[in-house]
C-alpha cells in the first residue's frame, strides 16, 4: 500500500475518533459523571484511559508517551475516585452516539454509513495488537450494535494502533518524550505553543533542544537541520509502515472505505469543534475531500 494512502486514511480516521474529546455532548457526559469540565484534561484522561481500567499515572504516562509525568499525576488516579472506568466507557459511547446523530442527521441510518462501519471494523479486527496497549485495550471492548458507534470504535482502535506504532518509531529513532515534541516543533509541524499543553517545563524543553543540538538535529534556534528533517521523515515513514497492515487487509475495498469516510470526517471538521492544528500536525480547518 502506498504511504500516501495510509496517511490519508489516518487523516480521515483521526477527526472521527477525536470528537470524543471535543464534542459538547461528551463534555456534558463528563460533567454528569462529576468530572471537572472547566478544563479539558480530566475528561480527556478519563475518556482515553478508561479502556485500560483504573490505570495509574505510570501506565498512562508510558502509553501516552509525550505528556509530562507531573501533568498526568495531577489527574490520574484522582479521576477514578470520581468516575469508575466502566461508567466512563458507558458515558463515552452515549456521548458519541449523541454527537454523531447531531452531526450526521439521517445519514446515521444510511446504507453508506453501515457499509463504512463494516469495512472499518474489518480493518480494526485485522490489526496486530502485539506491543500496542491502547489499541488492544479498545479492541478488547464489546462492539456496539449501532453502525455509527461501531464506526467510531473502529476508528478509535485504528487511531490508537497507529499511535502505539508511532511511539515505537520514536523509540527506535532515539527520541524521548520531550525530544519527540521538540523535534516535531522544529520541523514546523505546529507552533511550539501547541505543544505547551503537554506541560514540560521551559527548562526541560531547553534541555531536550540541547540534546537534539548535540546530535546535530536542530540548530541554536531550535530549527531542524537537514539531519533533523531526515530523522522526522523517517519517524513518519516508519509510523505509516507500522500502521499499514489493517488497511492492507481490506484489499481493493480500502478505496471504498476512504470514499465513505470522507463525508463523516468532513462533518466533524466542518462543525468547528476540533482545534485548527493538533500536536500531530493535522490541519483541521478545512473539510476532508
Amino acid at each position: 500500500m502506498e504511504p500516501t494512502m495510509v496517511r490519508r486514511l489516518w487523516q480521515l480516521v483521526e477527526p472521527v475518533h477525536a470528537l470524543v474529546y471535543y464534542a459538547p455532548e461528551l463534555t456534558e457526559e463528563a460533567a454528569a459523571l462529576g468530572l471537572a469540565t472547566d478544563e479539558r484534561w480530566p475528561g480527556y484522561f478519563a475518556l482515553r484511559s478508561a479502556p485500560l481500567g483504573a490505570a495509574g499515572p505510570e501506565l498512562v504516562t508510558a502509553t501516552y508517551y509525550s505528556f509530562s509525568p507531573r501533568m498526568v499525576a495531577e489527574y490520574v488516579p484522582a479521576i477514578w475516585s470520581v468516575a469508575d472506568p466502566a461508567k466512563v466507557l458507558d458515558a463515552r459511547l452515549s456521548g458519541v452516539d449523541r454527537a454523531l446523530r447531531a452531526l450526521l442527521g439521517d445519514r446515521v441510518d444510511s446504507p453508506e454509513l453501515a457499509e463504512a462501519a463494516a469495512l472499518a471494523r474489518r480493518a480494526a479486527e485485522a490489526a496486530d495488537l502485539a506491543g500496542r496497549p491502547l489499541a488492544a485495550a479498545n479492541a478488547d471492548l464489546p462492539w456496539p450494535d449501532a453502525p455509527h458507534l461501531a464506526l467510531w470504535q473502529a476508528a478509535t482502535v485504528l487511531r490508537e494502533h497507529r499511535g502505539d506504532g508511532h511511539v515505537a518509531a520514536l523509540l527506535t529513532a532515539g527520541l524521548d518524550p520531550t525530544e519527540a515534541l521538540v523535534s516535531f516543533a522544529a520541523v514546523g509541524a505546529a507552533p511550539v505553543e501547541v505543544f505547551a499543553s503537554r506541560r514540560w517545563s521551559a527548562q526541560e524543553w531547553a534541555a531536550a533542544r540541547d540534546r537534539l543540538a548535540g546530535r546535530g538535529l536542530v540548530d541554536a534556534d531550535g530549527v531542524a537541520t537537514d539531519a533533523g528533517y531526515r530523522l522526522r521523515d523517517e519517524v513518519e515513514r516508519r509510523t505509516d509502515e507500522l500502521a499499514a497492515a489493517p488497511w492492507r487487509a481490506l484489499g481493493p475495498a480500502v478505496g471504498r472505505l476512504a470514499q465513505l469516510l470522507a463525508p463523516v470526517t468532513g462533518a466533524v471538521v466542518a462543525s468547528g469543534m476540533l482545534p485548527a492544528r493538533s500536536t500531530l500536525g493535522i490541519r483541521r480547518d478545512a473539510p476532508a475531500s
Side-chain angles (χ1 to χ4, degrees):
M1 177 176 289
E2 289 294 326
T4 53
M5 176 56 83
V6 178
R7 185 69 57 88
R8 172 63 176 150
L9 287 160
W10 166 52
Q11 291 169 336
L12 289 168
V13 161
E14 173 76 18
V16 176
H17 159 73
L19 70 84
V20 72
Y21 310 123
Y22 297 104
E25 292 84 358
L26 273 300
T27 302
E28 293 168 4
E29 295 285 346
L33 289 170
L35 294 165
T37 56
D38 54 337
E39 59 172 334
R40 66 175 292 221
W41 298 116
Y44 174 86
F45 283 110
L47 291 163
R48 191 177 181 199
S49 301
L52 297 169
E58 290 84 3
L59 177 55
V60 173
T61 299
T63 52
Y64 288 20
Y65 198 69
S66 64
F67 286 82
S68 162
R70 293 184 309 278
M71 177 189 182
V72 175
E74 288 181 35
Y75 304 100
V76 180
I79 51 175
W80 308 130
S81 66
V82 178
D84 179 81
K87 293 183 178 178
V88 174
L89 290 173
D90 289 341
R92 76 174 192 172
L93 267 187
S94 175
V96 168
D97 178 32
R98 294 165 52 210
L100 284 174
R101 288 184 183 279
L103 287 168
L104 301 178
D106 293 342
R107 285 183 290 171
V108 161
D109 300 314
S110 68
E112 291 79 12
L113 193 133
E115 183 184 359
L119 288 171
R121 178 172 175 174
R122 274 178 53 195
E125 291 181 330
D128 182 356
L129 302 176
R132 304 191 196 239
L134 282 170
N138 281 280
D140 205 31
L141 299 174
W143 283 94
D145 292 329
H148 63 292
L149 295 180
L151 176 62
W152 178 82
Q153 183 157 316
T156 297
V157 171
L158 291 163
R159 186 263 172 235
E160 297 292 22
H161 176 271
R162 182 186 176 90
D164 289 334
H166 186 60
V167 170
L170 291 169
L171 288 166
T172 303
L175 295 171
D176 69 27
T178 323
E179 293 166 356
L181 298 182
V182 174
S183 65
F184 208 21
V187 299
V192 171
E193 293 75 21
V194 171
F195 298 96
S197 64
R198 301 306 194 240
R199 296 192 192 171
W200 297 98
S201 70
Q203 293 78 12
E204 288 167 326
W205 188 273
R209 184 181 61 203
D210 289 346
R211 293 194 298 274
L212 294 177
R215 293 170 61 183
L217 300 174
V218 300
D219 63 21
D221 296 320
V223 177
T225 62
D226 289 345
Y229 276 103
R230 286 195 298 272
L231 183 64
R232 284 304 316 196
D233 285 345
E234 174 60 22
V235 167
E236 300 309 317
R237 183 191 65 79
R238 172 60 65 182
T239 299
D240 286 336
E241 289 177 350
L242 292 171
W247 306 118
R248 192 179 294 122
L250 293 180
V254 73
R256 175 61 175 165
L257 177 57
Q259 180 185 31
L260 293 166
L261 277 175
V264 180
T265 303
V268 176
V269 173
S271 72
M273 70 176 67
L274 304 182
R277 270 197 185 274
S278 74
T279 52
L280 297 172
I282 294 179
R283 292 198 63 85
R284 294 180 178 146
D285 52 2
S289 59

